[in-house]
Amino acid sequence: MYIRHVSFAALSLFTGIALAAPESYSLDSGHTYPSFEISHLGFSTQRGRFDKTTGRITLDREAKTATVEITIDTTSIDTGNPKLEEHLRKPDFFDVAQYPTITFKSTKAQFSGDALAALDGDLTIHGQTRPVTLTVNKFHCGAHPVAKKPACGADAATTIKRSDFGIKYGLPVIGDDVKLLINIEGFKE
């Protein structure tokens, strides 16, 4: 009888581990706005964001693994300056007719304790794919107080050289270094 209880307890333990599965979250486009900062002629920092983003996070907190896929609609660029936005959509910069999206697909997640700390992955801009590391500055999962369902959110950042992605217009007076800031929120599927 004792062996039977021990076997049942061991089976329960292994079943519990097997049942701990990754959770998937769909990005909330109303609270996910990738943005950028770039030097403008050395005088100021030009900022902008993209208003349409889709994606998915798959997270296994026990195994400390995660995958993230983000698709940014380049036509949705918003700088607060319609003439600048029109120029940024042309072949000099994003060439939205030929490259309507920017994508990030993670290849490895790094955790610090229970929190996501960084994501290595492939960033594709202007038809060019390069490896990048997004440093996760803030990461939180829990019950969303308004939507009343499980949610995860993060703020991540990296700096790239736009010339690495074939966008060379205005160099060197318009900066080559571009800081990408990606804030995301997603709801459990």
Side-chain angles (χ1 to χ4, degrees):
M1 183 88 147
Y2 175 74
I3 292 173
R4 192 170 165 201
H5 287 296
V6 171
S7 297
F8 180 73
L11 179 63
S12 296
L13 177 63
F14 289 120
T15 303
I17 291 170
L19 291 177
E23 300 174 329
S24 293
Y25 297 80
S26 293
L27 294 187
D28 173 14
S29 61
H31 292 93
T32 301
Y33 295 104
S35 60
F36 61 88
E37 297 178 351
I38 186 169
S39 173
H40 184 253
L41 308 175
F43 291 105
S44 63
T45 300
Q46 176 66 53
R47 292 178 176 85
R49 73 178 198 182
F50 297 92
D51 293 335
K52 294 180 184 173
T53 303
T54 59
R56 185 173 199 218
I57 306 164
T58 303
L59 177 67
D60 187 331
R61 287 180 255 189
E62 283 193 36
K64 296 192 189 304
T65 61
T67 58
V68 175
E69 291 188 13
I70 300 171
T71 302
I72 301 166
D73 179 345
T74 56
T75 66
S76 71
I77 194 162
D78 180 355
T79 64
N81 181 335
K83 283 187 162 251
L84 176 58
E85 292 159 15
E86 183 180 327
H87 190 197
L88 291 172
R89 289 184 184 106
K90 292 185 176 181
D92 287 342
F93 288 100
F94 290 106
D95 194 1
V96 301
Q98 187 169 353
Y99 307 108
T101 61
I102 294 171
T103 61
F104 174 79
K105 294 182 182 180
S106 68
T107 55
K108 180 183 174 189
Q110 300 172 41
F111 280 75
S112 176
D114 291 333
L116 185 60
L119 287 164
D120 297 328
D122 295 321
L123 180 66
T124 302
I125 300 174
H126 205 251
Q128 303 288 319
T129 302
R130 300 284 183 264
V132 299
T133 297
L134 294 175
T135 301
V136 179
N137 301 310
K138 182 178 182 181
F139 175 75
H140 177 71
C141 292
H144 194 281
V146 176
K148 307 293 185 208
K149 55 186 172 180
C152 283
D155 288 341
T158 192
T159 299
I160 62 166
K161 292 202 175 294
R162 64 186 176 99
S163 60
D164 288 345
F165 295 88
I167 304 173
K168 299 178 181 180
Y169 179 86
L171 290 173
V173 292
I174 298 173
D176 195 18
D177 291 340
V178 180
K179 184 174 183 180
L180 298 177
L181 304 152
I182 303 176
N183 66 302
I184 60 171
E185 285 188 27
F187 290 110
K188 189 173 178 183
E189 295 175 349

